[in-house]
Amino acid sequence: MINQVRHPIWITTAKRPTARVFAILFGIESMARAIITSVVPIQTYDLMQSERGVSILYTCMSLLGLISTLSIPLLIVRIPRRWVYTAGVASLMLGCCAFALDTLPAQGAGLFLRTFGAGTLSITLSLYIMDHIKKGELVRAESVRMATATLAWTGGPFLGVFLYTRVGMIAPFLLSIGFSLLLLTLFWYFRLSDNPALQKGPSRPANPIANVRRFVVQPRLRLAWLIAFSRSCYWSTFFVYGPILMVATGQGKLAGGLLVSLGNLFLLGSILWGKVGMAKGLTRTISGVFVLLAAALIGAGLAGEAFPMMAAIMLLVGAFFCVAIDTLGSATFIRAVHPHERAQMTAVYRTYLDFSEILPAFFYSIILSFFQLGAIFIALACLMIFTAIFVWRYLPRGL
């Protein structure tokens, strides 16, 4: 078992966290975010009544989120990491409060706070994982972490939409806040930062532009970013435009929440994909999965609004393949980053999530000015094919 590693006697008193601890934290964080994942785009669509308007709003707020993400290392070198993590949880709760106001300005504020909170939690948790999990155990640890989040991402989106439509607009946001409070309580209980044997020396602050330059000159980090960006583009499209497709074609809001929940059910396959990656190698597995993901997206695009249920099925097929990249993709970054610059490079790497919300939303707003909703899935398929080629060509075979 991954959490049964024997540690040297000199660090036993540090109570080094295991993969199970990170899986628990990630699972609860996932629940806090998953409950409102489908609610937010539906609520935004209700406020704006325009798919293009939703794309523009997401683009603007994601740009602000990108700036905040690049600034997180400046916080980490000045503030203890445990307080940065706490600030991330607080941002999730404040974002829910903003969404509960149900106004367009508050919706923008909520999107920004949610983006900042998710970015902060992602960066700090990744740093903890790199501190405590050995490189040789990363693929297995990541598969366990993703599998633990299955319940959250399977039941959360549908539960959130059910509460939103049947109980009241505020209900899913209150529940999300409750899980955020539970996350914060467990985080302080585990005391991840109280590990003196693993404390690093003081880090040299670097400005965000210097961090970006340092990241870009490293080919393996660039490739890891492309892999993460491409798979995140799929999920951002799936989470936002999947529910909108269901609502716009008359299938209903609950159908949109059910679609996202069913897509996340495939997280159960994380352990299977972890075994496939270890057996076949990351290069063959990741590049092959991107090709299959592109095929599913083309099918969804051809079905489009004319055959919404067929498009939904193809999106679910794509979700099955995208889980493989969720499971294996992060290992390409963690194995490439240098230990002494983890905080700075992780912050730059994490911008894949912001760009995966900015760039697709921007291009989709243009595409939707001329074509129907299915066209965006065809456009996304082109990105998947491009990434598959780069992975096959440049990802080292020894990974």
Side-chain angles (χ1 to χ4, degrees):
M1 293 282 292
I2 191 169
N3 59 330
Q4 294 176 333
V5 179
R6 290 177 60 87
H7 303 302
I9 294 175
W10 60 275
I11 66 170
T12 54
T13 58
K15 298 181 181 179
R16 181 174 180 172
T18 63
R20 183 176 299 173
V21 168
F22 299 120
I24 291 171
L25 291 175
F26 185 68
I28 297 173
E29 176 202 334
S30 296
M31 196 67 186
R33 294 192 292 117
I35 288 171
I36 63 172
T37 290
S38 296
V39 172
V40 172
I42 290 174
Q43 183 187 30
T44 308
Y45 183 74
D46 285 343
L47 288 169
M48 305 189 75
Q49 292 297 310
S50 168
E51 296 135 341
R52 184 171 178 269
V54 172
S55 296
I56 293 173
L57 180 61
Y58 268 75
T59 300
C60 294
M61 292 304 104
S62 296
L63 280 170
L64 293 177
L66 171 62
I67 297 171
S68 67
T69 296
L70 289 173
S71 302
I72 290 173
L74 300 178
L75 295 177
I76 291 175
V77 298
R78 291 172 170 81
I79 303 173
R81 194 187 298 171
R82 61 184 179 275
W83 289 111
V84 178
Y85 189 96
T86 300
V89 180
S91 293
L92 293 184
M93 292 188 286
L94 289 173
C96 287
C97 294
F99 289 132
L101 296 177
D102 199 32
T103 64
L104 194 55
Q107 201 74 4
L111 287 170
F112 169 74
L113 288 167
R114 187 166 180 260
T115 298
F116 176 76
T120 302
L121 294 176
S122 175
I123 291 172
T124 50
L125 189 64
S126 294
L127 293 174
Y128 284 126
I129 289 173
M130 285 187 282
D131 281 349
H132 298 287
I133 302 298
K134 296 179 180 179
K135 288 189 176 183
E137 300 170 342
L138 283 173
V139 171
R140 184 180 301 173
E142 285 298 286
S143 64
V144 171
R145 187 164 70 101
M146 296 305 299
T148 304
T150 300
L151 177 62
W153 288 107
T154 300
F158 179 77
L159 174 61
V161 176
F162 178 83
L163 293 173
Y164 179 75
T165 56
R166 300 297 175 85
V167 178
M169 183 269 296
I170 298 178
F173 303 118
L174 289 177
L175 187 57
S176 178
I177 290 173
F179 275 103
S180 296
L181 288 172
L182 176 61
L183 172 64
L184 194 58
T185 301
L186 284 175
F187 170 75
W188 281 94
Y189 171 78
F190 288 135
R191 298 177 64 85
L192 294 184
S193 61
D194 295 341
N195 195 335
L198 291 170
Q199 290 296 314
K200 306 290 188 296
S203 300
R204 179 179 59 86
N207 66 68
I209 302 302
N211 293 338
V212 172
R213 286 200 298 264
R214 174 60 184 157
F215 188 97
V216 169
V217 298
Q218 300 182 63
R220 287 181 59 185
L221 293 185
R222 294 199 307 265
L223 181 57
W225 188 93
L226 176 63
I227 293 170
F229 168 74
S230 298
R231 63 96 170 168
S232 189
C233 283
Y234 180 84
W235 285 124
S236 65
T237 302
F238 181 77
F239 288 150
V240 174
Y241 296 94
I244 288 177
L245 175 66
M246 294 294 98
V247 174
T249 56
Q251 308 304 311
K253 296 175 181 177
L254 286 178
L258 182 61
L259 172 64
V260 174
S261 288
L262 289 175
N264 287 302
L265 180 63
F266 293 120
L267 287 170
L268 286 171
S270 296
I271 295 177
L272 171 64
W273 283 117
K275 293 180 179 179
V276 172
M278 288 186 288
K280 301 296 183 181
L282 294 184
T283 302
R284 291 175 62 185
T285 304
I286 294 176
S287 60
V289 165
F290 270 118
V291 172
L292 295 172
L293 184 54
L297 281 167
I298 291 173
L302 293 177
E305 295 181 61
F307 304 97
M309 297 311 296
M310 180 58 65
I313 291 173
M314 296 309 299
L315 289 175
L316 290 174
V317 172
F320 172 72
F321 293 122
C322 201
V323 166
I325 308 171
D326 284 344
T327 304
L328 305 172
S330 60
T332 61
F333 168 75
I334 295 175
R335 292 180 179 180
V337 67
H338 297 299
H340 66 278
E341 53 186 9
R342 283 174 176 172
Q344 292 82 3
M345 296 304 100
T346 300
V348 179
Y349 173 72
R350 174 53 179 65
T351 61
Y352 75 80
L353 190 54
D354 301 293
F355 276 105
S356 70
E357 294 177 351
I358 295 170
L359 295 181
F362 172 75
F363 285 108
Y364 295 165
S365 65
I366 298 174
I367 293 171
L368 291 171
S369 299
F370 303 97
F371 303 100
Q372 290 189 327
L373 197 56
I376 68 175
F377 303 131
I378 302 292
L380 186 57
C382 296
L383 172 63
M384 301 304 160
I385 294 172
F386 173 83
T387 305
I389 294 172
F390 261 68
V391 170
W392 182 258
R393 175 68 180 83
Y394 295 109
L395 188 65
R397 295 295 191 271
L399 285 180

